[in-house]
Amino acid sequence: MSAVVSAPRGARLLPRDGLTWFGAVCAALFCLLAVLGPSLAGDPNATGSDVLAAPSLTHPFGTDQLGRDLLARTAAGTRVSLTVSLAAVALGLLVALPLGIFAGYHGGRLFDDLIMRVLEIVQALPMFVLAMFVIGLSGTATAHLGPIPITMTTKVVLLLGVAFVPYFARVARAATMAETGQEYVAALRVVGVPRLRILFGELLPNVAPAMVVQAFLAMALAVFAEGGLGFLGLGVQLPQATLGNLTGGGTGYLPAGVWWYSVLPGAVMLAGILGFNLIGDALSDSLGGRGTTHVETR
Amino acid sequence: MTIPPSWSRRRFLGLVPAVSLLAACSTAAPTGGGRTLRIGVAAGPSNLNPLDSGSEVTRWIAEPVMETLYDYDERVRSVPLLAAAEPAVSADGLTWTIPLKRGVTFHNGDAFTAEHVVASLDHVAAFASGSEWVVYFLGYYSGARAVDPNTVEIRLKRPYGLLRSHLTNLPITHRAFVDRKDTMMGTGPYRLARVSAGLGYSMTAHRGYHGPSPAYARLEFQIIPDGSTRAVNLRAGSVDIATELPVAALPLLAGQQAVTVHRVDAPIDILTYVKAGDPPFDDPNFRRAVAYAVDRQGVNDKVFGGAAVLGQGPIGPAERGYDPDLRVFPARPDTARARELLHGVTAPSFTLTISAGQVMEDIAQILVQSWAHAGITVKLEVLQGGPWAQRWISGAYQMIMNRFSSGFTSGDANYLTLSPAQSTSVLACGYENPSVDTALERVWAIDDQGERDRLLREVNATLTEDAVMFPPVYPKMIVAQRASVSPMDPARMKISRLGTPRLRPEGNAGE
């Protein structure tokens, strides 16, 4: 028995407005640079004699203070950014979806209260504060959880993933509560469909559109957060290039007129953030407001 | 947070690039002048006590506030300052008696007496204090006492010729302030008036100063973390002196008539050494392979704009014991030689632990790349100052690197930098060579400077050939000043000082 609610009338796959197309192009370029760039642009750590060279045909993004090609480094940084963001969002969804759906299904009962209060505690800590606190305690070096090494990249993924859980869970809970009130859920209960089947076979597909919207918006936030941590020196460590450490590393050269070092990697980061945000926004519109973009007030 | 209904998400996102552009175009307005000397520094130290910390900024801030028993003259000879005369040393060399200058007062009005000298010495000699000086005093210092208010007596466990150097570099503080880390109390020409966390430090002239009257009414150390921004502030006249200028920022000052850039050979070390007692660096061939594969020229060209001197051993050109003819390792990486030395080593690799900062990170990245060409995989570990120091002291590293100004504790030498090579040192890196141990023991014990220099040259050569300490370059101290300030003293800069107590306004500027 399928209870998937079809998209509302008027919803379309291809957007008509230019802003959404602009976002799609930005996100596509960001993803292309991440996927193909490192293979095409060469070794991001190879040094050359041409230091702080302006953009040219040889070095379209210029070079840094060690003579490294900034296009290659930006491509490598974009790959890190995309990988970390995807992993963080996936982790957040993986944890938040079951919690949100369970909480929504048991709405108003002890189980729901318990989950939501715990998540509110996590949510009370701003993402950057949480990240700086944890990285400040554990340092930027690889930590070890027993025999398992936790690299800085893993730490960033874990931190962002944990920070996303409350937001995803709240949306999943709200969407599940709305679905639980539908007649088909009561009917499923009456005919004796197992609870897990109702939760993950019937409710999950109907909650999914709202989560897809949230996932795109979270991708934008993750690209920004990963970049921000890198900018502050708290992200993935050198010599690995990230969009954040490139933007941060280049700021010292801005007064000397070396604009390309900060601005071009920063522009790539901005393209990713805008792209994923606008796609999420468009999806929200086309799904009839299922994935509301307003952050809930508490 | 709820975005107001009149502001759609799209409208907001559309404004993001415009807001970013506006933010990028904004600039800070220059501040005014007056009889205030303004100095731009890169950081604000968390510990303001110069008895604990030898960090450059702490000591630069302390320079006009706190004084030493002896000071360097214009020829870098030690002469009395808070002491009234040279110390009288007993025949066995174990008791030093120092007469103190009379009529000196601290900034709080208390008289400078022998009790304060004793408290300062006891503090730095106590292991629990965590002072950098403890390395010098442990095993030598027995105690000190005030013979009378104007005479201090220092007792030693064994002869210690280097003590004379320490008395020239160790600031003396008020006995009630020896454990304070948030402020300074001294006898210098300026008193610390205000600490603005993260912003800077203000000082006012000490009217009761025992020497020549301070030339400025106020001194301000402004924290400007970015080197280029310090240069721009200097060019704009927002600061009078800009310290620690990176080479990349120097073009910003080119052609500026009102600005002078000083590039001085100073005792600044790129502290670079390995844990010679543990694998993989317990293998001398592995150490040499790593040293042969260092791209010294690359570091000099790209990080220091070709202005540094290529490194060999731990002693640099501004330090006692330097040998300009010592040539063990090439300027460019000799990867063939490195691979030859690594014959039989499977998957050579190690971790390089550095302190965070643009210069150190740039150096390390060049080195990692040059080692990669020789087949050595190096993991880079970048730590903030505190965690880095913990690793350094605990010995939990394979190869460690940081920038260190030896001049604040050793004047024109770098005794502390060499101490990890001594097997008995608290900083020992696991290297064991009886001849080096004996030579360094004698360097610390004797008071014959000529013999000390000879021994230092020997130690430098041995540590270079054994590839225990091999900094890629010897950097220069780069400081720039405006013409509104009297010329900075090269003799002071040669021992890493700024010489702020003696600076004065020039011309009609500063009025």
Side-chain angles (χ1 to χ4, degrees), chain B residues 173-411:
Chain B
T173 191
H174 191 287
R175 65 180 172 177
F177 286 77
V178 287
D179 292 320
R180 294 280 295 269
K181 299 183 190 311
D182 58 332
T183 189
M184 296 176 181
M185 176 57 67
T187 56
Y190 296 90
R191 61 183 288 271
L192 186 62
R194 197 182 63 200
V195 176
S196 306
L199 294 174
Y201 309 86
S202 296
M203 294 156 198
T204 52
H206 175 36
R207 295 297 166 203
Y209 183 56
H210 59 96
S213 292
Y216 287 94
R218 289 170 60 83
L219 252 60
E220 278 180 10
F221 284 80
Q222 299 175 9
I223 300 169
I224 307 168
D226 181 65
S228 296
T229 311
R230 285 197 296 281
V232 169
N233 280 10
L234 182 77
R235 191 176 65 183
S238 303
V239 294
D240 303 301
I241 293 173
T243 61
E244 286 184 89
L245 288 173
V247 171
L250 296 183
L252 293 166
L253 302 174
Q256 297 290 314
Q257 298 294 320
V259 173
T260 305
V261 178
H262 303 278
R263 296 177 184 82
V264 182
D265 275 327
I268 301 171
D269 300 303
I270 303 293
L271 196 70
T272 311
Y273 61 90
V274 298
K275 199 74 195 299
D278 297 336
F281 289 107
D282 56 346
D283 174 1
N285 279 343
F286 188 90
R287 294 201 301 264
R288 289 192 187 100
V290 170
Y292 270 105
V294 167
D295 187 359
R296 294 166 178 80
Q297 193 67 52
V299 171
N300 189 18
D301 292 346
K302 289 174 183 165
V303 184
F304 298 100
V309 176
L310 296 184
Q312 292 289 325
I315 297 180
E319 296 162 340
R320 290 188 169 277
Y322 175 65
D323 180 0
D325 298 325
L326 184 68
R327 287 278 179 275
V328 178
F329 303 114
R332 291 286 181 195
D334 186 346
T335 48
R337 178 87 175 112
R339 286 179 187 275
E340 189 185 315
L341 287 161
L342 287 171
H343 185 71
V345 180
T346 50
S349 65
F350 65 90
T351 299
L352 170 63
T353 304
I354 65 165
S355 175
Q358 184 77 55
V359 170
M360 292 314 302
E361 287 166 9
D362 285 352
I363 293 174
Q365 289 181 87
I366 292 172
L367 298 187
V368 168
Q369 193 67 12
S370 67
W371 285 321
H373 289 144
I376 306 167
T377 306
V378 181
K379 188 182 157 208
L380 187 58
E381 190 177 34
V382 184
L383 301 179
Q384 296 300 316
W388 184 92
Q390 280 175 0
R391 288 291 187 87
W392 181 46
I393 293 163
S394 67
Y397 58 85
Q398 288 189 306
M399 182 181 209
I400 203 155
M401 190 183 272
N402 200 358
R403 187 175 184 276
F404 184 77
S405 281
S406 302
F408 296 114
T409 52
S410 311

Side-chain angles (χ1 to χ4, degrees), chain B residues 122-197:
Chain B
D122 283 348
H123 177 82
V124 296
F127 198 76
S129 71
S131 167
E132 280 183 19
W133 288 89
V134 78
V135 179
Y136 281 129
F137 284 81
L138 217 60
Y140 291 96
Y141 181 77
S142 175
R145 72 180 181 100
V147 177
D148 62 52
N150 298 306
T151 310
V152 67
E153 182 186 275
I154 303 170
R155 297 181 306 281
L156 300 171
K157 292 174 183 167
R158 47 188 167 144
Y160 192 27
L162 214 54
L163 180 63
R164 183 65 184 79
S165 161
H166 301 335
L167 298 177
T168 316
N169 292 291
L170 178 70
I172 301 297
T173 191
H174 191 287
R175 65 180 172 177
F177 286 77
V178 287
D179 292 320
R180 294 280 295 269
K181 299 183 190 311
D182 58 332
T183 189
M184 296 176 181
M185 176 57 67
T187 56
Y190 296 90
R191 61 183 288 271
L192 186 62
R194 197 182 63 200
V195 176
S196 306

Side-chain angles (χ1 to χ4, degrees), chain A residues 231 244-263, chain B residues 226-229 358:
Chain A
F231 186 91
N245 69 27
L246 286 172
T247 311
T251 52
Y253 299 95
L254 275 174
V258 185
W259 58 270
W260 55 90
Y261 192 164
S262 262
V263 169
Chain B
D226 181 65
S228 296
T229 311
Q358 184 77 55

Side-chain angles (χ1 to χ4, degrees), chain A residues 17 19-20 43 45-49 51-52 65-68 73 140-142 217 233 237-239 249 251-253 255-257 261 270 274 277-278 281-282 285 293-297, chain B residues 1-5 7 9-11 13-14 16-17 20 226-229 232 235 248-249 251-252 295 302-303 358 361-363 365-366 368-369 373 378-384 391:
Chain A
D17 68 296
L19 204 54
T20 305
D43 181 1
N45 295 324
T47 55
S49 55
V51 297
L52 295 174
Q65 76 278 18
L66 304 183
R68 296 174 296 194
R73 289 188 69 71
T140 51
T142 299
L217 298 175
Q237 294 294 291
L238 292 168
T251 52
Y253 299 95
Y261 192 164
L270 185 64
L274 274 176
N277 248 320
L278 289 169
D281 202 36
D285 287 350
T293 55
H294 293 296
V295 179
E296 291 178 53
T297 50
Chain B
M1 181 185 80
T2 304
I3 299 170
W7 279 80
R9 183 180 186 83
R10 288 170 188 230
R11 197 171 160 197
L13 290 172
V16 168
S20 309
D226 181 65
S228 296
T229 311
V232 169
R235 191 176 65 183
L252 293 166
D295 187 359
K302 289 174 183 165
V303 184
Q358 184 77 55
E361 287 166 9
D362 285 352
I363 293 174
Q365 289 181 87
I366 292 172
V368 168
Q369 193 67 12
H373 289 144
V378 181
K379 188 182 157 208
L380 187 58
E381 190 177 34
V382 184
L383 301 179
Q384 296 300 316
R391 288 291 187 87

Side-chain angles (χ1 to χ4, degrees), chain A residues 200-282:
Chain A
F200 296 106
E202 308 298 339
L203 289 178
L204 181 60
N206 288 326
V207 169
M211 298 313 296
V212 169
V213 172
Q214 289 302 312
F216 270 97
L217 298 175
M219 275 295 292
L221 194 57
V223 171
F224 171 75
E226 191 277 333
L229 288 173
F231 186 91
L232 296 171
L234 298 173
V236 178
Q237 294 294 291
L238 292 168
Q240 173 66 55
T242 68
L243 294 178
N245 69 27
L246 286 172
T247 311
T251 52
Y253 299 95
L254 275 174
V258 185
W259 58 270
W260 55 90
Y261 192 164
S262 262
V263 169
L264 296 178
V268 170
M269 197 190 325
L270 185 64
I273 295 167
L274 274 176
F276 288 122
N277 248 320
L278 289 169
I279 290 174
D281 202 36

